[in-house]
Amino acid sequence: MPPPPPPPYTQEEDVDVDIEGDDEDTGKEQGLAWEEFKRSWDVLQEDEEGSLQSVVATIKQQQIRRRLLRDTDTIQRGIIRFLFLVLDLSNAMLEKDLRPSRLDLTLTLAESFIGEYFDQNPISQLGIIITRDGVAEKLTELSGNPMEHIRALKEKKNKETAGEPSLQNALETARSSLSHVPTHGSREVLVLCGSLTTCDPGNIFDTIDRFKREKIRCSVIGLTAEVQVCRTIAKETNGTYGVVLNEPHYKDLLFELVTPPAVTSSAEAASLVAMGFPRRITERTPSMCMCHKKPVLGGYVCPQCSAKVCELPTDCDVCGMALVASPHLARSYHHLFPVKNFVEVKWDASGADTARCFGCRSSFETPPQSGALAQRASDRFRCPECKHLFCLECDLFVHEALHNCPGCAQR
């Protein structure tokens, strides 16, 4: 039986085909929304008078919100930390939803985190573990030298991605190294995970139980969606878990972990720790150092066994004593007694003491009379202890970098 004849040709069908083709071409030319390049200068908008005061006010509001979210309670913290940074180098890190890519942004922020970590925790140590293709590799051992870790991250072979990560292997590698650290130190693991899957050789919940028994705190930062096993790890080990929304949020989540965590009630009681303050020596001829086993000029001499080391802080390889300098203890001390939050002064306050900032001596803005500008926050903040006034920039500098109030120090 012959096949039925084709339907008669009509011009309407031809028009429909052309319209669909135009839609597809238009979509290809426009591209997807998340693939478009964002220009930050397009966000700035002038008001009716051609001024950018509203934009500046918005930025100040964000800074004030960040200042108010800061925790200044006097609580017990572990200032001697042993932290392993776990980096996901799977194929999922090649995605470009975070510019320029997940991998490039993670490595850049990891270098900044390492520098800030040792600046705020000079008597602590850090190590790096990478996981890819179902295995975990210890990139650097626990040490107090930030340049060693940054140098390892910049090597080309340590930036290559492959396969899927293994969360259990990475955690077990960190646990085996942290099991030998002193009990007075805080044991922590920070995982930067960009994959939704993990290739584990066994039951990861057994690893979580070992973490709980050995009191190792594990925090996770996810670059995609929320993963239940990551949240379980963070919850069971008293860590934190967050999912990145954008590039600035990624940095905020990461740098929140620079501050030492609070000591939990289940932690062991604090004990005295023996520390030595070595003296610096200069030599005309090189001598053997105990940290690198190489002849070097100069260094520090351990006060207990007279062994020479190259840099501080470190642990003496001969007697095991912790060797530090007095500035290192001073920079760790401020975490235990942080500066109290400054109180915002209302616009209607007046007086001679409100003319200039006590920190930078810059003049305060004139209080607005009416209009939209009168609704924005004041730029004056008062220390609750010494009663001096500071601008917003000095407030942030005092709490984030200086960690001492100039007015209180002057008294």
Side-chain angles (χ1 to χ4, degrees):
M1 183 176 183
Y9 171 80
T10 60
Q11 190 174 359
E12 294 179 356
E13 294 179 359
D14 194 9
V15 173
D16 293 339
V17 174
D18 291 341
I19 292 177
E20 294 179 1
D22 292 341
D23 290 339
E24 292 178 358
D25 295 339
T26 304
K28 292 180 180 179
E29 292 178 0
Q30 293 179 353
L32 300 175
W34 56 83
E35 293 179 350
E36 296 178 1
F37 182 77
K38 294 183 179 179
R39 296 177 293 183
S40 57
W41 53 87
D42 289 342
V43 181
L44 300 179
Q45 296 180 359
E46 299 179 352
D47 54 15
E48 298 178 357
E49 300 177 357
S51 175
L52 295 177
Q53 289 291 340
S54 59
V55 179
V56 177
T58 302
I59 296 176
K60 284 191 174 183
Q61 289 285 0
Q62 295 176 354
Q63 291 177 335
I64 293 174
R65 181 177 178 272
R66 180 164 54 114
R67 182 184 66 85
L68 294 176
L69 292 176
R70 184 172 51 245
D71 184 14
T72 59
D73 294 335
T74 303
I75 57 177
Q76 184 179 0
R77 298 180 183 273
I79 61 176
I80 303 179
R81 307 170 63 185
F82 298 91
L83 172 68
F84 263 109
L85 182 63
V86 179
L87 301 178
D88 179 8
L89 293 185
S90 62
N91 289 332
M93 296 295 289
L94 298 177
E95 296 291 336
K96 297 184 178 180
D97 49 357
L98 297 176
R99 294 182 178 86
S101 68
R102 294 180 185 175
L103 178 62
D104 295 335
L105 181 61
T106 298
L107 294 178
T108 302
L109 292 180
E111 293 180 11
S112 302
F113 173 79
I114 291 173
E116 186 70 15
Y117 173 84
F118 283 106
D119 181 70
Q120 300 295 326
N121 306 272
I123 59 177
S124 301
Q125 296 186 12
L126 182 141
I128 301 177
I129 296 175
I130 59 175
T131 172
R132 58 189 170 190
D133 212 6
V135 297
E137 174 186 357
K138 188 185 299 182
L139 198 61
T140 57
E141 296 285 348
L142 286 171
S143 69
N145 185 6
M147 298 307 300
E148 177 184 353
H149 307 301
I150 295 176
R151 194 181 305 113
L153 290 178
K154 290 184 177 180
E155 294 184 5
K156 183 178 180 181
K157 65 178 182 178
N158 298 328
K159 298 181 181 180
E160 299 175 353
T161 60
E164 294 183 354
S166 178
L167 186 58
Q168 184 181 18
N169 286 335
L171 296 180
E172 286 292 346
T173 303
R175 188 190 63 84
S176 61
S177 298
L178 292 174
S179 60
H180 303 290
V181 303
T183 56
H184 60 261
S186 174
R187 308 177 185 183
E188 304 174 49
V189 177
L190 172 58
V191 182
L192 306 181
C193 184
S195 176
L196 293 175
T197 59
T198 175
C199 183
D200 298 333
N203 189 357
I204 194 172
F205 292 97
D206 296 338
T207 302
I208 297 176
D209 293 337
R210 299 188 189 100
F211 266 56
K212 292 173 61 178
R213 287 196 303 267
E214 300 182 13
K215 300 176 183 177
I216 302 176
R217 187 192 308 264
C218 182
S219 300
V220 184
I221 297 179
L223 306 186
T224 50
E226 180 175 328
V227 181
Q228 179 62 27
V229 66
C230 295
R231 176 167 292 279
T232 302
I233 294 174
K235 181 179 179 181
E236 294 294 331
T237 60
N238 295 320
T240 60
Y241 178 60
V243 179
V244 173
L245 301 178
N246 47 40
E247 292 86 350
H249 187 234
Y250 190 2
K251 184 177 180 181
D252 292 341
L253 289 177
L254 184 59
F255 277 70
E256 284 178 0
L257 299 173
V258 172
T259 304
V263 176
T264 60
S265 59
S266 60
E268 296 182 0
S271 58
L272 297 179
V273 180
M275 288 189 177
F277 298 88
R279 60 183 178 88
R280 185 177 179 83
I281 59 173
T282 57
E283 301 172 314
R284 295 184 177 180
T285 58
S287 59
M288 189 71 66
C289 75
M290 301 307 298
C291 49
H292 298 93
K293 306 299 188 294
K294 295 180 181 179
V296 292
L297 284 172
Y300 300 89
V301 176
C302 175
Q304 179 166 290
C305 64
S306 299
K308 189 177 79 169
V309 295
C310 296
E311 56 191 12
L312 298 178
T314 186
D315 293 335
C316 181
D317 292 340
V318 177
C319 62
M321 174 176 286
L323 304 179
V324 298
S326 55
H328 297 151
L329 288 179
R331 292 211 305 270
S332 302
Y333 185 76
H334 66 79
H335 292 299
L336 303 180
F337 302 96
V339 182
K340 294 184 178 180
N341 282 330
F342 293 170
V343 182
E344 182 179 359
V345 179
K346 300 300 181 181
W347 277 118
D348 55 359
S350 60
D353 60 340
T354 62
R356 293 181 178 274
C357 171
F358 183 81
C360 61
R361 306 305 300 171
S362 60
S363 300
F364 289 118
E365 297 181 9
T366 304
Q369 301 299 328
S370 61
L373 294 179
Q375 303 299 327
R376 62 187 176 92
S378 170
D379 62 340
R380 297 168 293 175
F381 302 90
R382 189 187 301 275
C383 175
E385 299 293 334
C386 63
K387 307 303 181 181
H388 287 294
L389 291 178
F390 297 88
C391 62
L392 178 60
E393 288 74 15
C394 289
D395 180 8
L396 295 175
F397 177 74
V398 166
H399 288 87
E400 295 181 357
L402 189 60
H403 302 292
N404 285 290
C405 175
C408 298
Q410 187 185 45
R411 291 193 307 174

